[in-house]
Amino acid sequence: MAKRILILIGTKKGLFVAESDGNRKNFRLRGPYCNTWPIHHAILDPATGAIHAAGGNEWFGPAVWTSHDLGATWTHSSEGLAYPEGEEPVSAVWSLAPGRDGTLYAGVQPAGLFRSTDGGRTWSHVNGLRDHPSRPHWNPGGAGLILHSLVPHPTDPDRIWVGISSAGVFGTDDGGRTWEPRNRGTRADYFPEDQRYPELGQCVHCMVLAPGTDQLLYQQNHCGMYRSDDGGRSWTSMENGLPSSFGFPAAVHPRDPQTVYLIPLNGDSAGRFMPDAKTAVWRTRDGGASWQAMRAGLPQENAYFGVLRQAMAVDRMEPAGVYFGTGSGEIYASADEGDSWSQIAAHLPTISSVETHVLDA
Amino acid sequence: MARRDDLSDAAGHASAVRAALPVTVKLSPVLCDLFPGSRREVSMVAATVAEMIDELDRLWPGMGDRIRDSRPAIRKHMNVFVDGSRASLKTPLAPGDEVYVLTAISGG
């Protein structure tokens, strides 16, 4: 059956949608939506067909925007997206994920998790995470104390993983009532030498679950790239063969859990662009044992942009498509699993997130 | 300049009287854009800025969240002026007051 590909592009000034037919050659861009609010992340919930866009506006606070007609019309709400009186208010929503039982999850700044059971109209706080005894010791990363990575288990609605900068990875097996840190094996180079593998305080940048699995996680960290084969209970480095140990986004092939895409940057204090200002997406086909740089069609000189944590995604086509959005407002796309690339959008505001959805035409 | 919430004690005594009299609230266009059907100017009965925001939220559900955060306080980058003076949630409103809800200079 013929397909339509939607690329949801969250930017500093609104949500854009790029759309193509199944050839993935000619993308039409529309937007900006959401009244040009900063949109940190947008998803299309496959259960309802609704697009949800998460963000926050300096004037008006946090909101989740929702469209039931693929972007033509929008509503917004922050009802319930709030901490108790007297606490530092929620400033923005950073991440969204559909749960496996019809719920919708939102990760916010300052770090916390909210749940909606009515499609994003109203929200309630998942208390257990903020009640964790380590909460007073969580420290903000460079962008703030943010719950960004939000990974529901594929079948069990009681199991969720989250990543918080820079508190680390946490997991719950009881629907959010209790949480445990899952950072064993991940490094924190910014701590004293004898404390570099703490239980908490790691600066996780992006965590994703390999599609088709329920235990295989990958993590791009401020200090290294990792995989976990046991649901985050232990992590092993997979950065050998990569040009640096620093980067933001990570994505996994939709059908091959051993194929992972990363975009290493030159380092946290070296400008945060790609090494030698040459753009490359690094791909492994063997779960991180070896890596290859994918460069065909990507700028190979004077490329000083970065790619933010939620700004890379794959589609579910055969062969799989890979997409990333830059800090300088371009979208690059590959329709052949990363072998070759082309620019499909330019001159956008700073891109925060890229997600894809494949529809029947 | 004294903030209007210095008068908040007086507001309690007089609120029952004032409750029957309207104030005029003028809303920022960028705020109205978020709530289809809302109006740039609305007349309402409210004895304090907090009550005014409650009434705006009743008229256009969700508007309260856009003006007031959960501390609760007027959002950092919002300004509410009552007859020319910057106000807080406690600021009393007097009959005939003009209230402006404005967005601050903010962002990039």
Side-chain angles (χ1 to χ4, degrees):
Chain A
M1 180 180 288
K3 301 292 185 188
R4 298 164 64 190
I5 317 295
L6 264 58
I7 315 297
L8 308 179
I9 307 163
T11 80
K12 188 177 179 184
K13 297 181 181 180
L15 178 77
F16 294 80
V17 178
E19 183 169 346
S20 168
D21 62 21
N23 286 329
R24 295 175 290 185
K25 287 189 187 327
N26 298 305
F27 281 86
R28 288 178 296 105
L29 188 73
R30 49 193 172 88
Y33 300 121
C34 308
N35 282 38
T36 67
W37 278 34
I39 297 299
H40 295 301
H41 191 211
I43 60 168
L44 193 154
D45 185 346
T48 63
I51 296 175
H52 302 286
N57 175 295
E58 285 172 306
W59 298 330
F60 299 130
V64 174
W65 294 74
T66 296
S67 173
H68 293 283
D69 48 19
L70 299 181
T73 61
W74 292 86
T75 57
H76 62 94
S77 177
S78 55
E79 190 175 341
L81 269 174
Y83 292 135
E85 277 191 25
E87 290 193 26
E88 184 181 346
V90 173
S91 61
V93 186
W94 274 74
S95 53
L96 294 169
R100 300 304 175 241
D101 53 357
T103 57
L104 189 63
Y105 285 96
V108 305
Q109 177 186 16
L113 181 64
F114 288 81
R115 177 191 279 137
S116 174
T117 57
D118 57 9
R121 285 196 302 112
T122 64
W123 297 86
S124 58
H125 184 216
V126 179
N127 293 309
L129 189 58
R130 278 175 69 90
D131 290 344
H132 194 273
S134 67
R135 176 68 183 80
H137 305 292
W138 296 357
N139 285 309
L145 185 61
I146 297 164
L147 194 159
H148 47 72
S149 291
L150 189 43
V151 183
H153 187 276
T155 55
D156 183 349
D158 283 340
R159 295 172 63 187
I160 306 164
W161 297 271
V162 300
I164 298 170
S165 296
S166 51
V169 172
F170 291 79
T172 179
D173 292 337
D174 59 12
R177 283 187 292 280
T178 62
W179 295 79
E180 63 175 24
R182 295 187 184 169
N183 300 295
R184 192 175 304 131
T186 54
R187 205 171 63 242
D189 290 333
Y190 41 84
F191 283 165
E193 277 185 23
D194 59 348
Q195 299 174 37
R196 290 196 171 160
Y197 288 89
E199 183 184 20
L200 287 154
Q202 283 85 347
C203 190
V204 52
H205 279 181
C206 180
M207 177 176 55
V208 289
L209 179 72
T213 77
D214 63 0
Q215 292 282 321
L216 177 53
L217 296 160
Y218 292 98
Q219 178 186 150
Q220 171 68 75
N221 193 290
H222 193 108
C223 310
M225 290 77 158
Y226 303 93
R227 63 176 284 157
S228 172
D229 293 276
D230 57 7
R233 288 181 172 79
S234 64
W235 296 86
T236 55
S237 172
M238 57 175 196
E239 66 199 61
N240 278 345
L242 290 168
S244 82
S245 59
F246 181 84
F248 286 97
V252 190
H253 189 282
R255 292 170 294 276
D256 176 7
Q258 304 302 320
T259 294
V260 184
Y261 300 90
L262 296 176
I263 300 181
L265 304 182
N266 55 0
D268 63 347
S269 56
R272 301 190 178 198
F273 50 84
M274 288 174 230
D276 303 319
K278 297 177 177 177
T279 314
V281 175
W282 289 73
R283 182 179 71 191
T284 178
R285 291 288 201 186
D286 51 17
S290 64
W291 293 92
Q292 300 81 41
M294 304 289 117
R295 300 181 185 275
L298 294 173
Q300 293 304 298
E301 61 179 2
N302 300 331
Y304 292 98
F305 53 73
V307 179
L308 294 175
R309 67 177 89 253
Q310 297 182 117
M312 183 164 63
V314 297
D315 70 28
R316 297 162 54 82
M317 298 286 282
E318 177 64 62
V322 192
Y323 308 81
F324 68 91
T326 70
S328 47
E330 298 95 33
I331 298 276
Y332 291 94
S334 168
D336 53 13
E337 311 211 337
D339 289 341
S340 65
W341 296 82
S342 60
Q343 188 186 83
I344 62 167
H347 316 307
L348 297 175
T350 296
I351 293 169
S352 306
S353 68
V354 172
E355 293 284 359
T356 72
H357 200 79
V358 178
L359 300 169
D360 291 332
Chain B
M1 183 187 301
R3 289 174 69 99
R4 299 264 310 209
D5 50 342
D6 295 341
L7 306 173
S8 57
D9 288 344
H13 299 296
S15 61
V17 175
R18 288 174 180 147
L21 298 166
V23 297
T24 300
V25 182
K26 297 187 175 183
L27 301 176
S28 147
V30 70
L31 177 61
C32 289
D33 285 348
L34 292 172
F35 296 93
S38 63
R39 297 191 303 277
R40 295 283 309 278
E41 182 172 320
V42 57
S43 180
M44 67 171 62
V45 172
T48 64
V49 168
E51 287 186 23
M52 176 200 81
I53 295 172
D54 289 343
E55 178 63 7
L56 289 171
D57 195 67
R58 190 189 67 76
L59 290 168
W60 300 298
M63 189 179 280
D65 265 358
R66 303 278 74 98
I67 304 168
R68 170 181 54 197
D69 67 27
S70 56
R71 288 177 202 275
I74 293 171
R75 288 194 177 280
K76 183 179 172 187
H77 296 281
M78 297 293 290
N79 281 328
V80 175
F81 283 86
V82 177
D83 281 350
S85 296
R86 188 175 301 195
S88 74
L89 294 176
K90 294 178 180 173
T91 299
L93 301 179
D97 274 350
E98 272 196 343
V99 185
Y100 282 83
V101 180
L102 304 172
T103 48
I105 295 296
S106 181

